[in-house]
Amino acid sequence: MGFTLLGPLAEGGVRLPRCSFKVPAGFPSPATDHMEAPISLDEVLSLRAPHVFLVTIDGDSMQGVGIFSGDLAVVDRSIEPVDGHVVVALLNNDPMCKRLCIRGKRVILRSENPQYPDRHVLEGDDLSIWGVITYSVRSHAH
């Protein structure tokens, strides 16, 4: 599973209305009685922070954690990657999105789809963790 680096969010942003209730997945409730102050998604997702960038995910090896091909992922470079984090990484210049697994001195980049093997980082491999994925955004319009 690869990714396309989109970079930081450009200046500007639109504040969207926010409802004060959680939306049930069943029968809808009239929302106009529950409107609160507008919010900005770039503020909620910390998209304007200098250490945050966006990537588009390419591939389905992480669908087990709800990250699908075409999703937009928010990557935070300020978070220290630890065992269990979903990360954006380069392994021998091969870009990927995987779960970081640390087992003693062994490092494994784990797929979350049984159709794909884990990537074991071997002695002599060049591993660079670009950041930790904090959010993913998916379009349901298609």
Side-chain angles (χ1 to χ4, degrees):
M1 169 178 273
F3 62 89
T4 301
L5 178 64
L6 299 176
L9 192 66
E11 287 299 320
V14 177
R15 293 197 174 271
L16 302 172
R18 178 178 180 214
C19 295
S20 64
F21 64 91
K22 294 182 180 178
V23 177
F27 187 78
S29 170
T32 56
D33 296 337
H34 301 280
M35 297 305 274
E36 288 185 4
I39 63 168
S40 172
L41 286 179
D42 59 325
E43 289 175 14
V44 171
L45 303 177
S46 299
L47 295 179
R48 297 215 181 272
H51 52 271
V52 172
F53 63 95
L54 304 173
V55 298
T56 300
I57 301 297
D58 180 29
D60 60 354
S61 71
M62 295 304 288
Q63 67 184 13
V65 292
I67 300 175
F68 295 87
S69 192
D71 284 359
L72 186 66
V74 179
V75 182
D76 190 329
R77 292 182 56 89
S78 72
I79 298 173
E80 184 69 30
V82 298
D83 181 60
H85 277 157
V86 176
V87 299
V88 169
L90 283 177
L91 179 60
N92 300 324
N93 287 324
D94 185 17
M96 60 188 66
C97 170
K98 300 289 180 196
R99 181 173 303 281
L100 179 64
C101 297
I102 302 171
R103 304 292 179 257
K105 293 184 178 182
R106 293 186 353 218
V107 176
I108 303 165
L109 298 172
R110 178 152 293 145
S111 297
E112 293 289 347
N113 180 338
Q115 295 179 353
Y116 296 92
D118 296 337
R119 301 284 302 265
H120 294 261
V121 180
L122 306 173
E123 187 176 330
D125 282 342
D126 183 25
L127 175 64
S128 174
I129 305 292
W130 280 19
V132 176
I133 293 184
T134 54
Y135 299 96
S136 61
V137 181
R138 178 174 316 111
S139 171
H140 295 278
H142 53 283

